[in-house]
Amino acid sequence: MAHDSGQDDLAARHFARALPLARTSGDLPLAAHIAVGSSHLALRTGDAPRAAHWAQTGLDVVGQGPGIPAPTARLHTMRARAPAAASQFGWVGVR
């Protein structure tokens, strides 16, 4: 809701706090969804390197357990969008 109300910095902090809690609880689907949200937020705020980081973090999470198709597909999409956004805006260092 913080992101929806234009409080992107607050949303990023909430996501950053939520991911370790979800991982610790063993809720890998929740952790994957948090990583998707974090990656999406980073892209929306123009931070392609951070978007790629969050997408890869999420892919690492989903690789730890049984298949989680929906967030896995979204994470691959976010991972692909990051370098595309970077090249569109002339950013370097995003792969």
Short mmCIF file of all heavy atoms in Angstrom, two decimals, residues 12-90:
data_model
loop_
_atom_site.label_atom_id
_atom_site.label_comp_id
_atom_site.label_asym_id
_atom_site.label_seq_id
_atom_site.Cartn_x
_atom_site.Cartn_y
_atom_site.Cartn_z
N ALA A 12 9.98 0.29 -0.23
CA ALA A 12 11.25 -0.42 -0.37
C ALA A 12 11.76 -0.90 0.99
O ALA A 12 12.26 -2.02 1.11
CB ALA A 12 12.29 0.47 -1.04
N ARG A 13 11.61 -0.07 2.00
CA ARG A 13 12.03 -0.48 3.35
C ARG A 13 11.19 -1.64 3.87
O ARG A 13 11.70 -2.57 4.48
CB ARG A 13 11.99 0.70 4.30
CG ARG A 13 13.08 1.72 4.05
CD ARG A 13 13.25 2.71 5.19
NE ARG A 13 12.05 3.42 5.55
CZ ARG A 13 11.63 4.56 5.02
NH1 ARG A 13 12.34 5.13 4.05
NH2 ARG A 13 10.52 5.14 5.43
N HIS A 14 9.89 -1.58 3.62
CA HIS A 14 9.01 -2.68 4.05
C HIS A 14 9.39 -3.99 3.36
O HIS A 14 9.48 -5.04 4.01
CB HIS A 14 7.54 -2.36 3.76
CG HIS A 14 6.94 -1.35 4.67
ND1 HIS A 14 7.12 -1.36 6.04
CD2 HIS A 14 6.14 -0.29 4.40
CE1 HIS A 14 6.46 -0.35 6.58
NE2 HIS A 14 5.86 0.32 5.61
N PHE A 15 9.62 -3.92 2.04
CA PHE A 15 10.03 -5.12 1.32
C PHE A 15 11.36 -5.66 1.86
O PHE A 15 11.53 -6.87 2.04
CB PHE A 15 10.18 -4.84 -0.17
CG PHE A 15 8.89 -4.81 -0.95
CD1 PHE A 15 8.63 -3.78 -1.82
CD2 PHE A 15 7.95 -5.82 -0.82
CE1 PHE A 15 7.45 -3.74 -2.56
CE2 PHE A 15 6.77 -5.80 -1.55
CZ PHE A 15 6.52 -4.76 -2.42
N ALA A 16 12.31 -4.76 2.10
CA ALA A 16 13.63 -5.18 2.59
C ALA A 16 13.53 -5.86 3.96
O ALA A 16 14.28 -6.79 4.25
CB ALA A 16 14.57 -3.99 2.66
N ARG A 17 12.61 -5.41 4.78
CA ARG A 17 12.42 -6.05 6.09
C ARG A 17 11.64 -7.34 5.98
O ARG A 17 11.85 -8.28 6.75
CB ARG A 17 11.69 -5.09 7.03
CG ARG A 17 12.57 -3.93 7.47
CD ARG A 17 11.86 -3.01 8.41
NE ARG A 17 11.46 -3.70 9.62
CZ ARG A 17 10.54 -3.24 10.45
NH1 ARG A 17 9.93 -2.11 10.22
NH2 ARG A 17 10.24 -3.93 11.54
N ALA A 18 10.72 -7.41 5.02
CA ALA A 18 9.83 -8.57 4.91
C ALA A 18 10.54 -9.80 4.36
O ALA A 18 10.23 -10.92 4.79
CB ALA A 18 8.64 -8.22 4.02
N LEU A 19 11.47 -9.61 3.44
CA LEU A 19 12.10 -10.77 2.81
C LEU A 19 12.83 -11.67 3.81
O LEU A 19 12.58 -12.89 3.82
CB LEU A 19 13.04 -10.36 1.68
CG LEU A 19 13.66 -11.51 0.91
CD1 LEU A 19 12.60 -12.40 0.27
CD2 LEU A 19 14.62 -11.00 -0.13
N PRO A 20 13.68 -11.14 4.69
CA PRO A 20 14.33 -12.05 5.64
C PRO A 20 13.34 -12.73 6.58
O PRO A 20 13.54 -13.88 6.98
CB PRO A 20 15.30 -11.16 6.43
CG PRO A 20 15.30 -9.84 5.77
CD PRO A 20 14.20 -9.79 4.79
N LEU A 21 12.26 -12.05 6.92
CA LEU A 21 11.25 -12.66 7.79
C LEU A 21 10.57 -13.82 7.07
O LEU A 21 10.37 -14.89 7.66
CB LEU A 21 10.22 -11.62 8.22
CG LEU A 21 10.75 -10.50 9.11
CD1 LEU A 21 9.68 -9.43 9.33
CD2 LEU A 21 11.23 -11.05 10.44
N ALA A 22 10.24 -13.63 5.80
CA ALA A 22 9.60 -14.70 5.04
C ALA A 22 10.55 -15.88 4.87
O ALA A 22 10.14 -17.04 4.99
CB ALA A 22 9.15 -14.18 3.68
N ARG A 23 11.82 -15.58 4.61
CA ARG A 23 12.80 -16.67 4.46
C ARG A 23 12.96 -17.44 5.76
O ARG A 23 12.99 -18.67 5.75
CB ARG A 23 14.15 -16.10 4.03
CG ARG A 23 14.21 -15.72 2.59
CD ARG A 23 15.55 -15.08 2.30
NE ARG A 23 16.15 -15.66 1.13
CZ ARG A 23 17.22 -15.18 0.56
NH1 ARG A 23 17.85 -14.14 1.07
NH2 ARG A 23 17.70 -15.74 -0.53
N THR A 24 13.06 -16.72 6.86
CA THR A 24 13.23 -17.36 8.16
C THR A 24 12.04 -18.25 8.50
O THR A 24 12.20 -19.32 9.07
CB THR A 24 13.45 -16.30 9.26
OG1 THR A 24 14.64 -15.56 8.95
CG2 THR A 24 13.59 -16.93 10.63
N SER A 25 10.86 -17.80 8.12
CA SER A 25 9.65 -18.58 8.41
C SER A 25 9.55 -19.82 7.52
O SER A 25 8.75 -20.71 7.80
CB SER A 25 8.40 -17.73 8.23
OG SER A 25 8.11 -17.55 6.85
N GLY A 26 10.35 -19.85 6.45
CA GLY A 26 10.30 -20.97 5.52
C GLY A 26 9.22 -20.83 4.47
O GLY A 26 8.98 -21.76 3.70
N ASP A 27 8.57 -19.69 4.41
CA ASP A 27 7.51 -19.45 3.43
C ASP A 27 8.13 -18.97 2.12
O ASP A 27 8.19 -17.77 1.85
CB ASP A 27 6.51 -18.43 3.98
CG ASP A 27 5.24 -18.35 3.16
OD1 ASP A 27 5.27 -18.72 1.96
OD2 ASP A 27 4.22 -17.90 3.70
N LEU A 28 8.62 -19.92 1.32
CA LEU A 28 9.30 -19.57 0.08
C LEU A 28 8.39 -18.88 -0.93
O LEU A 28 8.84 -17.94 -1.60
CB LEU A 28 9.96 -20.81 -0.53
CG LEU A 28 11.06 -21.45 0.33
CD1 LEU A 28 11.66 -22.66 -0.39
CD2 LEU A 28 12.14 -20.45 0.67
N PRO A 29 7.12 -19.28 -1.07
CA PRO A 29 6.26 -18.53 -1.99
C PRO A 29 6.11 -17.06 -1.59
O PRO A 29 6.16 -16.18 -2.44
CB PRO A 29 4.91 -19.27 -1.92
CG PRO A 29 5.29 -20.66 -1.54
CD PRO A 29 6.45 -20.49 -0.60
N LEU A 30 5.96 -16.80 -0.30
CA LEU A 30 5.87 -15.41 0.16
C LEU A 30 7.17 -14.67 -0.13
O LEU A 30 7.16 -13.54 -0.62
CB LEU A 30 5.54 -15.35 1.64
CG LEU A 30 5.49 -13.95 2.25
CD1 LEU A 30 4.43 -13.09 1.56
CD2 LEU A 30 5.23 -14.03 3.75
N ALA A 31 8.30 -15.30 0.16
CA ALA A 31 9.59 -14.67 -0.10
C ALA A 31 9.75 -14.36 -1.59
O ALA A 31 10.23 -13.28 -1.95
CB ALA A 31 10.73 -15.58 0.38
N ALA A 32 9.31 -15.27 -2.44
CA ALA A 32 9.39 -15.04 -3.88
C ALA A 32 8.52 -13.86 -4.30
O ALA A 32 8.94 -13.01 -5.09
CB ALA A 32 8.98 -16.30 -4.64
N HIS A 33 7.32 -13.78 -3.75
CA HIS A 33 6.42 -12.67 -4.08
C HIS A 33 7.00 -11.34 -3.59
O HIS A 33 6.85 -10.31 -4.26
CB HIS A 33 5.03 -12.90 -3.51
CG HIS A 33 4.21 -13.85 -4.33
ND1 HIS A 33 3.70 -13.53 -5.56
CD2 HIS A 33 3.84 -15.12 -4.09
CE1 HIS A 33 3.04 -14.56 -6.04
NE2 HIS A 33 3.12 -15.54 -5.17
N ILE A 34 7.65 -11.34 -2.46
CA ILE A 34 8.29 -10.12 -1.95
C ILE A 34 9.40 -9.69 -2.90
O ILE A 34 9.54 -8.51 -3.22
CB ILE A 34 8.82 -10.35 -0.52
CG1 ILE A 34 7.65 -10.52 0.45
CG2 ILE A 34 9.72 -9.20 -0.08
CD1 ILE A 34 8.05 -11.08 1.81
N ALA A 35 10.19 -10.64 -3.36
CA ALA A 35 11.26 -10.32 -4.31
C ALA A 35 10.69 -9.77 -5.61
O ALA A 35 11.24 -8.82 -6.18
CB ALA A 35 12.13 -11.55 -4.57
N VAL A 36 9.58 -10.34 -6.09
CA VAL A 36 8.93 -9.81 -7.29
C VAL A 36 8.51 -8.37 -7.06
O VAL A 36 8.76 -7.49 -7.89
CB VAL A 36 7.70 -10.66 -7.67
CG1 VAL A 36 6.86 -9.96 -8.74
CG2 VAL A 36 8.10 -12.03 -8.16
N GLY A 37 7.87 -8.11 -5.93
CA GLY A 37 7.42 -6.75 -5.62
C GLY A 37 8.58 -5.78 -5.53
O GLY A 37 8.50 -4.65 -6.02
N SER A 38 9.66 -6.22 -4.92
CA SER A 38 10.84 -5.37 -4.79
C SER A 38 11.45 -5.05 -6.14
O SER A 38 11.85 -3.91 -6.42
CB SER A 38 11.89 -6.04 -3.90
OG SER A 38 11.39 -6.23 -2.60
N SER A 39 11.52 -6.06 -7.00
CA SER A 39 12.07 -5.86 -8.34
C SER A 39 11.18 -4.92 -9.15
O SER A 39 11.67 -4.00 -9.81
CB SER A 39 12.20 -7.21 -9.05
OG SER A 39 12.77 -7.05 -10.32
N HIS A 40 9.89 -5.13 -9.06
CA HIS A 40 8.94 -4.26 -9.77
C HIS A 40 9.07 -2.81 -9.29
O HIS A 40 9.12 -1.88 -10.09
CB HIS A 40 7.52 -4.77 -9.56
CG HIS A 40 6.48 -3.92 -10.18
ND1 HIS A 40 6.23 -3.92 -11.53
CD2 HIS A 40 5.63 -3.03 -9.63
CE1 HIS A 40 5.27 -3.05 -11.79
NE2 HIS A 40 4.88 -2.51 -10.65
N LEU A 41 9.15 -2.64 -7.99
CA LEU A 41 9.29 -1.30 -7.42
C LEU A 41 10.58 -0.64 -7.91
O LEU A 41 10.58 0.53 -8.29
CB LEU A 41 9.27 -1.36 -5.90
CG LEU A 41 9.47 -0.05 -5.16
CD1 LEU A 41 8.35 0.94 -5.47
CD2 LEU A 41 9.55 -0.30 -3.66
N ALA A 42 11.67 -1.40 -7.93
CA ALA A 42 12.94 -0.85 -8.39
C ALA A 42 12.84 -0.41 -9.85
O ALA A 42 13.34 0.66 -10.22
CB ALA A 42 14.06 -1.87 -8.21
N LEU A 43 12.19 -1.20 -10.68
CA LEU A 43 12.02 -0.79 -12.08
C LEU A 43 11.16 0.46 -12.19
O LEU A 43 11.46 1.36 -12.97
CB LEU A 43 11.40 -1.91 -12.91
CG LEU A 43 12.36 -2.94 -13.47
CD1 LEU A 43 11.60 -4.01 -14.25
CD2 LEU A 43 13.40 -2.30 -14.36
N ARG A 44 10.10 0.51 -11.42
CA ARG A 44 9.21 1.67 -11.46
C ARG A 44 9.90 2.95 -11.01
O ARG A 44 9.53 4.04 -11.43
CB ARG A 44 7.97 1.43 -10.60
CG ARG A 44 7.09 0.29 -11.04
CD ARG A 44 6.13 0.68 -12.07
NE ARG A 44 5.30 1.77 -11.57
CZ ARG A 44 4.39 2.37 -12.26
NH1 ARG A 44 4.16 2.00 -13.48
NH2 ARG A 44 3.69 3.35 -11.75
N THR A 45 10.90 2.81 -10.16
CA THR A 45 11.61 3.99 -9.67
C THR A 45 12.90 4.25 -10.46
O THR A 45 13.68 5.11 -10.09
CB THR A 45 11.93 3.87 -8.17
OG1 THR A 45 12.73 2.71 -7.94
CG2 THR A 45 10.66 3.80 -7.34
N GLY A 46 13.11 3.49 -11.55
CA GLY A 46 14.24 3.74 -12.43
C GLY A 46 15.56 3.14 -11.99
O GLY A 46 16.61 3.58 -12.44
N ASP A 47 15.52 2.13 -11.15
CA ASP A 47 16.76 1.52 -10.65
C ASP A 47 16.89 0.10 -11.21
O ASP A 47 16.62 -0.89 -10.53
CB ASP A 47 16.74 1.51 -9.12
CG ASP A 47 18.08 1.16 -8.51
OD1 ASP A 47 18.96 0.64 -9.24
OD2 ASP A 47 18.25 1.40 -7.30
N ALA A 48 17.30 0.02 -12.46
CA ALA A 48 17.42 -1.28 -13.14
C ALA A 48 18.41 -2.22 -12.45
O ALA A 48 18.12 -3.42 -12.33
CB ALA A 48 17.78 -1.10 -14.60
N PRO A 49 19.57 -1.76 -11.99
CA PRO A 49 20.48 -2.69 -11.30
C PRO A 49 19.85 -3.31 -10.05
O PRO A 49 20.00 -4.50 -9.80
CB PRO A 49 21.70 -1.82 -10.93
CG PRO A 49 21.68 -0.72 -11.94
CD PRO A 49 20.22 -0.44 -12.19
N ARG A 50 19.12 -2.51 -9.30
CA ARG A 50 18.45 -3.04 -8.11
C ARG A 50 17.33 -4.00 -8.51
O ARG A 50 17.11 -5.02 -7.86
CB ARG A 50 17.91 -1.93 -7.24
CG ARG A 50 17.34 -2.49 -5.94
CD ARG A 50 17.13 -1.49 -4.86
NE ARG A 50 18.21 -1.04 -4.02
CZ ARG A 50 19.11 -1.77 -3.38
NH1 ARG A 50 19.14 -3.05 -3.52
NH2 ARG A 50 20.01 -1.22 -2.59
N ALA A 51 16.64 -3.70 -9.59
CA ALA A 51 15.59 -4.60 -10.07
C ALA A 51 16.17 -5.96 -10.44
O ALA A 51 15.60 -7.00 -10.09
CB ALA A 51 14.88 -3.99 -11.28
N ALA A 52 17.31 -5.95 -11.12
CA ALA A 52 17.98 -7.21 -11.48
C ALA A 52 18.42 -7.96 -10.23
O ALA A 52 18.27 -9.19 -10.14
CB ALA A 52 19.17 -6.93 -12.38
N HIS A 53 18.94 -7.23 -9.26
CA HIS A 53 19.37 -7.85 -7.99
C HIS A 53 18.21 -8.55 -7.31
O HIS A 53 18.31 -9.70 -6.89
CB HIS A 53 19.99 -6.80 -7.07
CG HIS A 53 20.08 -7.25 -5.65
ND1 HIS A 53 21.05 -8.11 -5.21
CD2 HIS A 53 19.28 -6.98 -4.59
CE1 HIS A 53 20.86 -8.35 -3.92
NE2 HIS A 53 19.80 -7.67 -3.52
N TRP A 54 17.08 -7.84 -7.17
CA TRP A 54 15.92 -8.42 -6.48
C TRP A 54 15.37 -9.62 -7.25
O TRP A 54 14.95 -10.61 -6.64
CB TRP A 54 14.84 -7.37 -6.28
CG TRP A 54 15.08 -6.51 -5.09
CD1 TRP A 54 15.37 -5.17 -5.10
CD2 TRP A 54 15.05 -6.88 -3.71
NE1 TRP A 54 15.53 -4.71 -3.82
CE2 TRP A 54 15.33 -5.74 -2.95
CE3 TRP A 54 14.81 -8.09 -3.05
CZ2 TRP A 54 15.38 -5.76 -1.56
CZ3 TRP A 54 14.86 -8.11 -1.67
CH2 TRP A 54 15.14 -6.96 -0.94
N ALA A 55 15.34 -9.53 -8.57
CA ALA A 55 14.85 -10.65 -9.37
C ALA A 55 15.74 -11.87 -9.16
O ALA A 55 15.25 -12.99 -8.97
CB ALA A 55 14.78 -10.27 -10.84
N GLN A 56 17.06 -11.67 -9.18
CA GLN A 56 17.97 -12.80 -8.96
C GLN A 56 17.84 -13.35 -7.55
O GLN A 56 17.88 -14.56 -7.34
CB GLN A 56 19.42 -12.39 -9.25
CG GLN A 56 20.36 -13.57 -9.22
CD GLN A 56 19.97 -14.63 -10.24
OE1 GLN A 56 19.84 -14.36 -11.42
NE2 GLN A 56 19.78 -15.86 -9.78
N THR A 57 17.66 -12.47 -6.58
CA THR A 57 17.45 -12.91 -5.20
C THR A 57 16.22 -13.81 -5.13
O THR A 57 16.24 -14.87 -4.50
CB THR A 57 17.28 -11.70 -4.26
OG1 THR A 57 18.51 -10.95 -4.27
CG2 THR A 57 16.95 -12.13 -2.84
N GLY A 58 15.15 -13.39 -5.79
CA GLY A 58 13.93 -14.20 -5.81
C GLY A 58 14.12 -15.52 -6.50
O GLY A 58 13.62 -16.56 -6.05
N LEU A 59 14.86 -15.53 -7.60
CA LEU A 59 15.14 -16.78 -8.30
C LEU A 59 15.97 -17.72 -7.43
O LEU A 59 15.76 -18.93 -7.45
CB LEU A 59 15.83 -16.51 -9.64
CG LEU A 59 14.93 -15.87 -10.69
CD1 LEU A 59 15.75 -15.37 -11.88
CD2 LEU A 59 13.84 -16.82 -11.14
N ASP A 60 16.88 -17.15 -6.65
CA ASP A 60 17.65 -17.97 -5.72
C ASP A 60 16.72 -18.59 -4.67
O ASP A 60 16.88 -19.75 -4.28
CB ASP A 60 18.73 -17.14 -5.03
CG ASP A 60 19.82 -16.68 -5.99
OD1 ASP A 60 19.92 -17.22 -7.11
OD2 ASP A 60 20.56 -15.74 -5.61
N VAL A 61 15.75 -17.82 -4.21
CA VAL A 61 14.79 -18.31 -3.21
C VAL A 61 13.97 -19.46 -3.78
O VAL A 61 13.84 -20.51 -3.15
CB VAL A 61 13.86 -17.17 -2.72
CG1 VAL A 61 12.67 -17.73 -1.96
CG2 VAL A 61 14.62 -16.19 -1.86
N VAL A 62 13.41 -19.27 -4.97
CA VAL A 62 12.55 -20.32 -5.53
C VAL A 62 13.35 -21.57 -5.87
O VAL A 62 12.79 -22.67 -5.91
CB VAL A 62 11.71 -19.85 -6.74
CG1 VAL A 62 10.77 -18.75 -6.35
CG2 VAL A 62 12.57 -19.44 -7.90
N GLY A 63 14.64 -21.42 -6.09
CA GLY A 63 15.48 -22.59 -6.35
C GLY A 63 15.72 -23.44 -5.12
O GLY A 63 16.25 -24.55 -5.23
N GLN A 64 15.31 -22.97 -3.95
CA GLN A 64 15.55 -23.70 -2.71
C GLN A 64 14.44 -24.69 -2.37
O GLN A 64 14.56 -25.44 -1.40
CB GLN A 64 15.69 -22.72 -1.54
CG GLN A 64 16.87 -21.82 -1.65
CD GLN A 64 16.88 -20.76 -0.57
OE1 GLN A 64 16.03 -20.75 0.32
NE2 GLN A 64 17.83 -19.86 -0.64
N GLY A 65 13.35 -24.66 -3.10
CA GLY A 65 12.23 -25.52 -2.74
C GLY A 65 11.53 -26.08 -3.95
O GLY A 65 12.04 -26.01 -5.07
N PRO A 66 10.33 -26.60 -3.71
CA PRO A 66 9.55 -27.12 -4.84
C PRO A 66 9.15 -26.00 -5.78
O PRO A 66 9.15 -24.82 -5.40
CB PRO A 66 8.33 -27.75 -4.16
CG PRO A 66 8.23 -27.05 -2.86
CD PRO A 66 9.63 -26.67 -2.46
N GLY A 67 8.82 -26.35 -7.00
CA GLY A 67 8.46 -25.36 -7.99
C GLY A 67 7.33 -24.45 -7.56
O GLY A 67 6.34 -24.90 -6.97
N ILE A 68 7.51 -23.16 -7.80
CA ILE A 68 6.50 -22.15 -7.51
C ILE A 68 6.29 -21.40 -8.83
O ILE A 68 6.93 -20.39 -9.08
CB ILE A 68 6.96 -21.20 -6.39
CG1 ILE A 68 7.51 -21.98 -5.20
CG2 ILE A 68 5.82 -20.29 -5.96
CD1 ILE A 68 8.26 -21.11 -4.20
N PRO A 69 5.42 -21.91 -9.71
CA PRO A 69 5.37 -21.42 -11.08
C PRO A 69 5.08 -19.93 -11.26
O PRO A 69 5.79 -19.26 -12.02
CB PRO A 69 4.26 -22.26 -11.73
CG PRO A 69 4.11 -23.46 -10.87
CD PRO A 69 4.51 -23.03 -9.50
N ALA A 70 4.06 -19.40 -10.62
CA ALA A 70 3.68 -18.01 -10.89
C ALA A 70 4.78 -17.02 -10.52
O ALA A 70 5.19 -16.21 -11.35
CB ALA A 70 2.36 -17.66 -10.21
N PRO A 71 5.28 -17.04 -9.28
CA PRO A 71 6.34 -16.08 -8.98
C PRO A 71 7.63 -16.35 -9.74
O PRO A 71 8.36 -15.42 -10.08
CB PRO A 71 6.54 -16.18 -7.47
CG PRO A 71 5.90 -17.44 -7.06
CD PRO A 71 4.87 -17.77 -8.09
N THR A 72 7.90 -17.61 -10.06
CA THR A 72 9.10 -17.92 -10.84
C THR A 72 9.01 -17.27 -12.21
O THR A 72 9.98 -16.64 -12.68
CB THR A 72 9.29 -19.44 -10.97
OG1 THR A 72 9.41 -20.01 -9.66
CG2 THR A 72 10.53 -19.77 -11.78
N ALA A 73 7.87 -17.37 -12.85
CA ALA A 73 7.69 -16.74 -14.16
C ALA A 73 7.81 -15.23 -14.05
O ALA A 73 8.46 -14.59 -14.89
CB ALA A 73 6.32 -17.12 -14.73
N ARG A 74 7.22 -14.64 -13.01
CA ARG A 74 7.31 -13.20 -12.83
C ARG A 74 8.75 -12.76 -12.56
O ARG A 74 9.19 -11.71 -13.05
CB ARG A 74 6.39 -12.75 -11.71
CG ARG A 74 4.92 -12.88 -12.10
CD ARG A 74 3.99 -12.35 -11.04
NE ARG A 74 4.18 -10.90 -10.90
CZ ARG A 74 3.89 -10.23 -9.79
NH1 ARG A 74 3.42 -10.85 -8.73
NH2 ARG A 74 4.09 -8.93 -9.73
N LEU A 75 9.49 -13.55 -11.80
CA LEU A 75 10.89 -13.21 -11.52
C LEU A 75 11.73 -13.26 -12.79
O LEU A 75 12.58 -12.40 -13.00
CB LEU A 75 11.45 -14.15 -10.44
CG LEU A 75 10.93 -13.87 -9.04
CD1 LEU A 75 11.15 -15.09 -8.13
CD2 LEU A 75 11.57 -12.63 -8.46
N HIS A 76 11.50 -14.26 -13.63
CA HIS A 76 12.22 -14.32 -14.90
C HIS A 76 11.87 -13.11 -15.76
O HIS A 76 12.76 -12.54 -16.42
CB HIS A 76 11.93 -15.61 -15.65
CG HIS A 76 12.68 -16.79 -15.13
ND1 HIS A 76 14.05 -16.93 -15.26
CD2 HIS A 76 12.27 -17.90 -14.46
CE1 HIS A 76 14.44 -18.06 -14.70
NE2 HIS A 76 13.38 -18.66 -14.20
N THR A 77 10.62 -12.71 -15.73
CA THR A 77 10.20 -11.54 -16.49
C THR A 77 10.89 -10.29 -15.97
O THR A 77 11.41 -9.47 -16.75
CB THR A 77 8.67 -11.36 -16.41
OG1 THR A 77 8.06 -12.53 -16.97
CG2 THR A 77 8.21 -10.13 -17.16
N MET A 78 10.93 -10.11 -14.65
CA MET A 78 11.57 -8.93 -14.07
C MET A 78 13.07 -8.96 -14.35
O MET A 78 13.67 -7.92 -14.62
CB MET A 78 11.30 -8.86 -12.56
CG MET A 78 9.84 -8.74 -12.19
SD MET A 78 8.93 -7.46 -13.07
CE MET A 78 9.62 -6.01 -12.34
N ARG A 79 13.66 -10.14 -14.32
CA ARG A 79 15.10 -10.27 -14.60
C ARG A 79 15.40 -9.86 -16.04
O ARG A 79 16.42 -9.24 -16.33
CB ARG A 79 15.55 -11.70 -14.33
CG ARG A 79 17.03 -11.93 -14.50
CD ARG A 79 17.82 -11.23 -13.41
NE ARG A 79 19.24 -11.40 -13.60
CZ ARG A 79 20.02 -10.55 -14.27
NH1 ARG A 79 19.51 -9.46 -14.80
NH2 ARG A 79 21.30 -10.77 -14.39
N ALA A 80 14.49 -10.19 -16.96
CA ALA A 80 14.68 -9.82 -18.36
C ALA A 80 14.40 -8.33 -18.58
O ALA A 80 15.04 -7.70 -19.43
CB ALA A 80 13.77 -10.66 -19.24
N ARG A 81 13.46 -7.78 -17.85
CA ARG A 81 13.11 -6.37 -18.03
C ARG A 81 14.21 -5.43 -17.56
O ARG A 81 14.36 -4.33 -18.10
CB ARG A 81 11.82 -6.05 -17.28
CG ARG A 81 10.58 -6.61 -17.95
CD ARG A 81 9.33 -6.27 -17.20
NE ARG A 81 9.12 -4.82 -17.20
CZ ARG A 81 8.27 -4.21 -16.39
NH1 ARG A 81 7.56 -4.90 -15.52
NH2 ARG A 81 8.12 -2.89 -16.45
N ALA A 82 14.98 -5.83 -16.55
CA ALA A 82 16.00 -4.94 -15.99
C ALA A 82 17.04 -4.50 -17.02
O ALA A 82 17.24 -3.30 -17.21
CB ALA A 82 16.65 -5.58 -14.77
N PRO A 83 17.70 -5.42 -17.72
CA PRO A 83 18.66 -4.95 -18.72
C PRO A 83 17.99 -4.25 -19.90
O PRO A 83 18.58 -3.36 -20.51
CB PRO A 83 19.40 -6.22 -19.16
CG PRO A 83 18.63 -7.35 -18.64
CD PRO A 83 17.76 -6.86 -17.54
N ALA A 84 16.75 -4.64 -20.21
CA ALA A 84 16.04 -3.95 -21.28
C ALA A 84 15.80 -2.49 -20.89
O ALA A 84 16.01 -1.58 -21.69
CB ALA A 84 14.72 -4.65 -21.58
N ALA A 85 15.39 -2.27 -19.65
CA ALA A 85 15.18 -0.90 -19.17
C ALA A 85 16.50 -0.16 -19.12
O ALA A 85 16.58 1.02 -19.48
CB ALA A 85 14.53 -0.92 -17.79
N ALA A 86 17.55 -0.84 -18.71
CA ALA A 86 18.86 -0.20 -18.62
C ALA A 86 19.33 0.26 -19.99
O ALA A 86 19.80 1.39 -20.14
CB ALA A 86 19.87 -1.15 -18.01
N SER A 87 19.17 -0.59 -21.00
CA SER A 87 19.62 -0.19 -22.34
C SER A 87 18.74 0.90 -22.92
O SER A 87 19.22 1.77 -23.65
CB SER A 87 19.68 -1.40 -23.27
OG SER A 87 18.39 -1.90 -23.52
N GLN A 88 17.48 0.88 -22.59
CA GLN A 88 16.56 1.91 -23.08
C GLN A 88 16.97 3.29 -22.57
O GLN A 88 16.85 4.28 -23.26
CB GLN A 88 15.14 1.59 -22.65
CG GLN A 88 14.12 2.63 -23.09
CD GLN A 88 12.71 2.28 -22.61
OE1 GLN A 88 12.48 1.27 -21.98
NE2 GLN A 88 11.78 3.15 -22.92
N PHE A 89 17.48 3.32 -21.35
CA PHE A 89 17.84 4.60 -20.75
C PHE A 89 19.35 4.84 -20.73
O PHE A 89 19.82 5.78 -20.10
CB PHE A 89 17.28 4.69 -19.33
CG PHE A 89 15.78 4.67 -19.32
CD1 PHE A 89 15.09 3.55 -18.90
CD2 PHE A 89 15.05 5.77 -19.75
CE1 PHE A 89 13.71 3.52 -18.91
CE2 PHE A 89 13.68 5.75 -19.77
CZ PHE A 89 12.99 4.62 -19.34
N GLY A 90 20.10 3.97 -21.40
CA GLY A 90 21.54 4.17 -21.52
C GLY A 90 22.33 3.81 -20.29
O GLY A 90 23.47 4.20 -20.13
#
